[in-house]
Amino acid sequence: MDIKAARRTERFGARATTCVYWQAGKCNRNPCNFLHRETPIPTTTGYCDANTYSLECTKKPHSSANNKSAPKRILKNVLIRKIGGNLVIDHQKPSHSICRHWVNGNCVHGEKCRNLHSWFYGDGFSTLAKLQEHKKVITGIALPAGSDKLYSGSTDGTIRTWDCHTGQCVNVVNLGAEVISMISEGPWIFIGLRNAVKAWNVQAALEFTLYGPKGRVLAMVVGSETLFAGDEDGVISAWRGSSESMLYSGSMDHSIKVWDMDTLQCKMTLSGHADTVTSLICWDSYLLSSSTDCTVKVWVATEEGPLKVTYTHREENGVCALRGMTDADAKPILFCSCVDNSVRLYELPSFSERGRLFARLEVRSLEIGPGGLFFTGDGTGLVTVWKWLEEPKVASSS
């Protein structure tokens, strides 16, 4: 083998392999026989030969008398991959997944990376602010009626109050225990703890504690002046009220139970999910349920009485939370938080995708605010403020 061929072999041999110790941040070799980047640095434009890795390139035609005047072939949105010692052109469409190397600050492809270098994609909404003060998972976000303050709870044991105008944290309450869940209803904030629920009225400055739950209070809802709290012992505690409405509860036993809020008796049990039921929302005459079985199910009442599944939407990953709101054009939007650290936005009833939000860890909390605002809280302790953007108005000609 001549020197030139030997150098080429070296270049596409060990030197074309990324150093696993460098990837783990532990390589101490200088020089190292392996690459300290993910792939050879891509060129922007050039002739595609055996020495070029390119995401957008001009392929040089073979030289012959018959094709001297042949136009150059333009290849766009492609990847040059090394498979079995050969360089293969990979005609792949840009991905809708976030680049994990970009998240960690070490993507070498820049604008040529086929994965997203953004915390969201889609039209019609944007990020307004990121509220980073909590040290652990965000478990609840609340915006009480008539208040200009946003409240967030975390497993770091604190409730933080944020000024909605400045985005600054104006108060911190240390509860001395993990905040497991948190909701708001009118001027009230309800905080689920272990073995108790704290109730705050932010307008009247009232505070008291409700006892009864056993273990962590995992979920709460208010309906017709009745507060319901579900704990990890499988019991739903109720305080006050009477109504003709229904209460729905999802469980780790894969079932959904329907309760009469007047008698507090279970009227029916719904079976359809193959794993833990993680979230339930009522939308018009429909019940939507999500599960770690990677599905969202739409239930509707039948003439016979029991609810039946009318549609099943499938995700690639387990679903951990659902929330619904309308966009700037009053179209119903379903927020679907998945365990791959993304939130999918779907327009109902078609389930057509409107966009995605991304986070470093799972988004456990989703809250809807006034004026097109919505909030997400993830496992790093970050609260992000988002807003729907109004579509530009087209002037009509007269």
Side-chain angles (χ1 to χ4, degrees), residues 194-238:
R194 183 178 291 274
N195 303 325
V197 174
K198 283 190 175 295
W200 294 354
N201 187 309
V202 298
Q203 292 182 354
L206 296 176
E207 177 182 342
F208 55 89
T209 303
L210 305 173
Y211 295 100
K214 302 297 182 184
R216 298 178 300 159
V217 176
L218 301 175
M220 295 180 291
V221 67
V222 175
S224 300
E225 299 184 354
T226 305
L227 171 66
F228 298 89
D231 60 43
E232 63 181 343
D233 200 32
V235 176
I236 299 175
S237 301

Side-chain angles (χ1 to χ4, degrees), residues 36-354:
H36 279 201
R37 56 179 183 267
E38 290 302 324
T39 61
I41 297 176
T43 61
T44 55
T45 302
Y47 292 114
C48 182
D49 59 22
N51 296 320
T52 303
Y53 283 73
S54 177
L55 296 181
E56 180 177 344
C57 63
T58 302
K59 187 175 181 181
K60 185 177 181 181
H62 296 293
S63 59
S64 67
N66 296 329
N67 63 4
K68 288 182 178 179
S69 60
K72 297 175 182 178
R73 181 185 174 192
I74 305 299
L75 302 177
K76 294 188 176 182
N77 293 328
V78 301
L79 287 174
I80 307 299
R81 299 184 181 274
K82 186 178 182 183
I83 302 177
N86 299 317
L87 297 179
V88 178
I89 297 176
D90 185 0
H91 296 265
Q92 296 191 46
K93 295 181 179 180
S95 170
H96 284 169
S97 299
I98 193 170
C99 174
R100 295 302 172 189
H101 300 291
W102 175 78
V103 169
N104 296 326
N106 59 10
C107 181
V108 300
H109 299 303
E111 295 181 355
K112 298 297 182 178
C113 183
R114 66 180 298 269
N115 291 314
L116 291 172
H117 283 199
S118 173
W119 291 111
F120 70 96
Y121 87 84
D123 297 325
F125 57 90
S126 66
T127 307
L128 290 186
K130 292 182 179 290
L131 312 179
Q132 181 78 71
E133 292 289 346
H134 285 290
K135 307 303 180 185
K136 293 184 178 180
V137 178
I138 304 293
T139 50
I141 302 173
L143 189 64
S147 174
D148 63 350
K149 301 293 189 297
L150 178 74
Y151 297 80
S152 59
S154 169
T155 54
D156 63 10
T158 66
I159 300 289
R160 289 185 177 269
T161 307
W162 308 85
D163 189 301
C164 290
H165 301 291
T166 66
Q168 300 298 310
C169 180
V170 295
N171 189 43
V172 181
V173 177
N174 194 333
L175 299 177
E178 290 186 343
V179 176
I180 309 301
S181 56
M182 185 171 73
I183 64 170
S184 63
E185 179 70 20
W188 289 94
I189 297 176
F190 300 100
I191 305 163
L193 305 172
R194 183 178 291 274
N195 303 325
V197 174
K198 283 190 175 295
W200 294 354
N201 187 309
V202 298
Q203 292 182 354
L206 296 176
E207 177 182 342
F208 55 89
T209 303
L210 305 173
Y211 295 100
K214 302 297 182 184
R216 298 178 300 159
V217 176
L218 301 175
M220 295 180 291
V221 67
V222 175
S224 300
E225 299 184 354
T226 305
L227 171 66
F228 298 89
D231 60 43
E232 63 181 343
D233 200 32
V235 176
I236 299 175
S237 301
W239 291 269
R240 213 184 148 194
S242 175
S243 173
E244 296 180 357
S245 303
M246 294 296 174
L247 172 71
Y248 302 93
S249 64
S251 173
M252 294 178 67
D253 66 6
H254 313 172
S255 72
I256 300 171
K257 292 189 179 294
V258 184
W259 306 82
D260 187 307
M261 291 174 61
D262 231 1
T263 64
L264 300 183
Q265 298 297 311
C266 179
K267 296 187 63 175
M268 68 182 73
T269 299
L270 309 178
S271 300
H273 286 292
D275 210 331
T276 300
V277 178
T278 55
S279 188
L280 297 166
I281 61 172
C282 293
W283 203 322
D284 292 334
S285 58
Y286 298 95
L287 173 69
L288 278 70
S289 62
S290 66
S291 170
T292 50
D293 66 5
C294 307
T295 67
V296 176
K297 292 185 180 293
V298 181
W299 305 75
V300 64
T302 62
E303 294 181 358
E304 294 79 12
L307 277 73
K308 298 291 185 181
V309 175
T310 185
Y311 177 73
T312 298
H313 172 76
R314 301 188 183 279
E315 292 284 353
E316 295 178 359
N317 300 275
V319 183
C320 52
L322 296 176
R323 202 64 196 248
M325 72 175 297
T326 55
D327 65 6
D329 296 323
K331 296 177 180 177
I333 304 297
L334 177 68
F335 291 74
C336 183
S337 178
C338 299
V339 298
D340 65 348
N341 308 340
S342 72
V343 179
R344 317 295 176 94
L345 281 64
Y346 298 107
E347 185 174 319
L348 297 180
S350 65
F351 270 87
S352 58
E353 187 170 354
R354 289 285 299 274

